[in-house]
Amino acid sequence: MSVGVDQVAEAMFQLVTETHGKKSLKAMDLTKAMIEKFGAAECDKELCKHAIRQLMDSGRCIYSYLGGSYITLPPDKA
Amino acid sequence: MSEERKKRETPLLDELESGPWPSFVKEIKKSDTPMADDLLGVLERSYEEHIGHWKHGGLVGVMGYGGGVIGRYSDVPQDFPEVAEFHTMRINQPAAWFYTSDALRKITDIWERHGSGLTNMHGSTGDIVLLGCKTEALEPTFAELTSLGFDLGGSGSDMRTPSCCIGQARCEWACYDTMGACYDFTQTYQDELHRPAFPYKYKLKFAGCPNDCVASVARSDMSFIGVWRDDIKVDAEQVKAYAASGKLDIQQDVCDRCPTRCMRWDGASLAIDNANCVKCMHCINAMPKALAPGDDRGAAILIGAKAPIVGGALLGSVLVPFIKMEPPYEEIKELLSRIWDLWAEYGKNRERVGEFIQRLGLGNFLEQIGLEPVPEMITAPRANPYVFYQDTVEEEA
Ligand code: HEM
Ligand code: HEM
Ligand code: SF4
Ligand code: SF4
């Protein structure tokens, strides 16, 4: 696979930013979107899991809870 | 400081201190802090007005984690400023809740310094539940707890903190090492525990025998209930001793209460038709000195239990009638990942796996996860309309 964690994390971050305030995304929504974007040969669930972890550990994204757990932007960045 | 502080009047709540039973009002008052005062104050208000004053959820948590902190805000913060933010922290409990008193003191010391001091030992998930944390205190509390070797538990759409009965640590009925399994699964699935990626919660509970002291059959999406495959062990001398004691009527209290009536007592010896035993534990519980689970031990895996939040309540139903419970539990973990993959991809938001199976149909679900239907999945003939044995019948006809 030539697509790396950084690249997927970046694409996820873009998607979260674009949809912010319009649509709430769960981890699986991001995963499905990335597999569609990069293709199943280049991007799998494991890679997406690592990308999400990177977004969380770096603080670029946070989880929110609204009857379910969603991935969103920190309040001061939104 | 309590002298300067004017305590809130709580006449309605005070009535709850009057009975002979334990009272949460009495216990909360003992902690005698401004937070506890406001907590009782806002509850008194709810009793007067018949409405709740808490808002759920939100953006609270600790860095990197999606679970373990449950956001609670007051909708009347101006009147009850001390509980304007009153979040809950779930802390992963040690397997089977074994603590040293030193560890307990350290946890409660941390909690008195940073939070309300109120705890719930233990929550329905099993966790150490620390009630009432302000947002700014979350990270410092977390830092101190992790330096002691503790970690947050699950909440939200993740794998919840696994829990287990006391098992082989103290109980002779344990058919496998529940504490070992609970610890192993907790460690294996740290990512699933801390970073919610499921449609909804997923609980794992480990009970050593069908007595099910962790109530896994009602409370876990996947329960592991210890069972044996061979015969119940009978100590004939002890059976006679029970009969002679006059305290137990073996016919009436044991045989007649066996759900499948598979036991015979002729006044001198006890015979068990083990092929028809459904491992309910009744006879063993009634005559613990005389009877015991067999030697070929493992667990049954059940799936789908949940308490009623969205749909109605469900009890778990059998998925795997018997499996050996030996580390590293590879076969089970492979099955679990097939279930998680399927449910995560096709489950609706807030749909528990039990509801998912109902929607999909057990037959389709089994096909997708690659399990063959077996008779143990069905409680009674025609009780389960989801499994169709179509091909076989037609071919033979
Ligand atoms: C009518 C009011 C309420 C109802 C019906 C209710 C119902 C429930 C239920 C069914 C659960 C169990 C969820 C599960 O584990 O599957 C739960 C958990 C919980 N609730 Fe509520 N709740 C109410 C009010 C509150 C209030 C006022 C608070 C706090 C201010 C609160 C705090 C919690 C906490 C901390 C847990 C998790 C406990 C644990 O870790 O096991 N709830 N609630
Ligand atoms: C008719 C009303 C209620 C019903 C049927 C109900 C039902 C339940 C059930 C089935 C559970 C266990 C969930 C599990 O083990 O997964 C539970 C737990 C809980 N309920 Fe209720 N509940 C009711 C009212 C309330 C109210 C009014 C409150 C709070 C003000 C409340 C607070 C809780 C809490 C905090 C838990 C978690 C307990 C723990 O973790 O030890 N419930 N409830
Ligand atoms: S569930 Fe069975 S093995 Fe576990 S503590 Fe209870 S009686 Fe013992
Ligand atoms: S365990 Fe239950 S089903 Fe089995 S023999 Fe004893 S009473 Fe009967």
Side-chain angles (χ1 to χ4, degrees):
Chain A
M1 287 194 275
S2 59
V3 176
V5 180
D6 294 345
Q7 209 179 334
V8 177
E10 192 52 44
M12 284 181 172
F13 185 74
Q14 290 306 326
L15 186 57
V16 172
T17 311
E18 282 160 22
T19 53
H20 191 78
K22 292 172 217 137
K23 193 170 183 293
S24 303
L25 300 170
K26 299 191 86 168
M28 187 46 75
D29 300 327
L30 288 176
T31 303
K32 284 179 182 166
M34 292 305 116
I35 293 174
E36 200 181 308
K37 181 180 167 74
F38 294 106
E42 292 291 332
C43 175
D44 61 9
K45 287 179 185 171
E46 202 53 36
L47 186 62
C48 291
K49 211 158 130 173
H50 285 105
I52 290 171
R53 181 166 182 171
Q54 193 194 84
L55 290 174
M56 292 301 158
D57 287 349
S58 64
R60 294 179 83 193
C61 288
I62 60 165
Y63 289 99
S64 69
Y65 186 82
L66 283 158
S69 304
Y70 294 90
I71 292 175
T72 185
L73 300 175
D76 51 335
K77 306 272 163 49
Chain B
M1 64 171 192
S2 57
E3 281 142 314
E4 299 158 30
R5 206 171 69 234
K6 197 171 165 303
K7 290 238 174 97
R8 292 179 182 277
E9 300 288 315
T10 55
L12 293 172
L13 285 177
D14 294 349
E15 285 178 33
L16 298 176
E17 290 186 273
S18 60
W21 41 78
S23 161
F24 72 91
V25 177
K26 205 180 278 175
E27 297 305 316
I28 294 177
K29 279 186 181 173
K30 272 187 203 164
S31 81
D32 191 26
T33 59
M35 254 176 143
D37 275 4
D38 274 6
L39 180 66
L40 291 172
V42 73
L43 186 59
E44 180 77 12
R45 159 108 40 121
S46 288
Y47 277 32
E48 287 160 3
E49 299 174 353
H50 305 283
I51 49 167
H53 283 294
W54 297 103
K55 296 185 288 182
H56 289 199
L59 296 171
V60 289
V62 301
M63 175 90 162
Y65 283 52
V69 177
I70 303 159
R72 289 288 182 275
Y73 295 90
S74 173
D75 71 359
V76 278
Q78 66 286 1
D79 298 338
F80 303 96
E82 290 294 331
V83 295
E85 296 159 352
F86 201 77
H87 314 311
T88 294
M89 295 183 84
R90 283 197 180 132
I91 314 301
N92 196 328
Q93 80 286 6
W97 305 290
F98 277 98
Y99 299 93
T100 58
S101 47
D102 182 54
L104 283 175
R105 270 195 201 96
K106 284 182 172 145
I107 294 168
T108 46
D109 284 350
I110 291 173
W111 190 231
E112 283 190 345
R113 255 185 291 123
H114 292 294
S116 75
L118 300 172
T119 65
N120 168 10
M121 306 288 269
H122 295 84
S124 61
T125 41
D127 302 274
I128 302 163
V129 173
L130 304 180
L131 290 158
C133 194
K134 295 183 179 169
T135 308
E136 63 184 28
L138 288 167
E139 290 286 356
T141 311
F142 177 64
E144 283 204 50
L145 286 164
T146 45
S147 74
L148 268 186
F150 283 92
D151 198 356
L152 291 186
S155 72
S157 314
D158 65 5
M159 179 187 81
R160 298 303 180 83
T161 316
S163 75
C164 63
C165 79
I166 204 161
Q168 290 172 344
R170 285 187 74 93
C171 182
E172 61 195 288
W173 302 152
C175 293
Y176 70 95
D177 180 1
T178 54
M179 292 172 62
C182 185
Y183 181 76
D184 184 297
F185 280 76
T186 305
Q187 295 294 354
T188 304
Y189 297 116
Q190 283 292 298
D191 197 73
E192 285 73 9
L193 179 64
H194 297 309
R195 282 173 277 278
F198 296 148
Y200 204 13
K201 65 185 89 172
Y202 197 96
K203 300 181 179 181
L204 302 172
K205 295 198 197 292
F206 300 87
C209 81
N211 281 335
D212 197 7
C213 295
V214 276
S216 69
V217 72
R219 306 195 305 157
S220 55
D221 299 272
M222 195 173 219
S223 49
F224 299 84
I225 301 183
V227 281
W228 60 96
R229 258 193 307 203
D230 52 349
D231 296 350
I232 291 181
K233 291 197 276 190
V234 184
D235 181 333
E237 287 312 307
Q238 291 289 351
V239 174
K240 281 188 192 139
Y242 273 108
S245 75
K247 288 181 189 148
L248 186 76
D249 180 333
I250 293 180
Q251 183 60 45
Q252 199 182 300
D253 301 335
V254 182
C255 299
D256 292 353
R257 296 213 165 131
C258 167
T260 57
R261 301 285 191 275
C262 70
M263 313 180 85
R264 293 273 168 282
W265 169 244
D266 61 9
S269 70
L270 184 70
I272 302 175
D273 171 11
N274 279 279
N276 279 310
C277 165
V278 291
K279 280 96 185 161
C280 78
M281 290 299 286
H282 169 67
C283 60
I284 298 175
N285 291 332
M287 298 196 286
K289 289 182 185 166
L291 306 179
D295 289 321
D296 186 8
R297 299 173 172 197
I301 304 177
L302 283 75
I303 191 155
K306 63 172 206 68
I309 293 185
V310 182
L314 287 175
L315 291 180
S317 51
V318 173
L319 187 68
V320 177
F322 185 91
I323 192 162
K324 284 283 182 187
M325 286 294 281
E326 280 150 10
Y329 313 99
E330 255 167 51
E331 225 185 314
I332 298 172
K333 287 174 186 167
E334 277 162 23
L335 175 66
L336 184 55
S337 73
R338 292 202 297 276
I339 293 170
W340 279 348
D341 272 352
L342 184 71
W343 171 61
E345 194 160 343
Y346 299 104
K348 294 183 192 166
N349 189 28
R350 284 168 77 74
E351 184 175 48
R352 296 283 284 268
V353 76
E355 296 160 331
F356 175 67
I357 295 171
Q358 284 188 325
R359 178 162 65 85
L360 210 66
L362 181 63
N364 294 329
F365 177 75
L366 293 174
E367 203 176 303
Q368 292 299 320
I369 61 167
L371 271 192
E372 287 295 314
V374 291
E376 285 89 340
M377 293 172 179
I378 296 161
T379 39
R382 298 189 186 82
N384 190 322
Y386 305 123
V387 180
F388 301 103
Y389 296 91
Q390 47 218 19
D391 298 336
T392 359
V393 180
E394 273 159 24
E395 274 159 27
E396 276 164 17

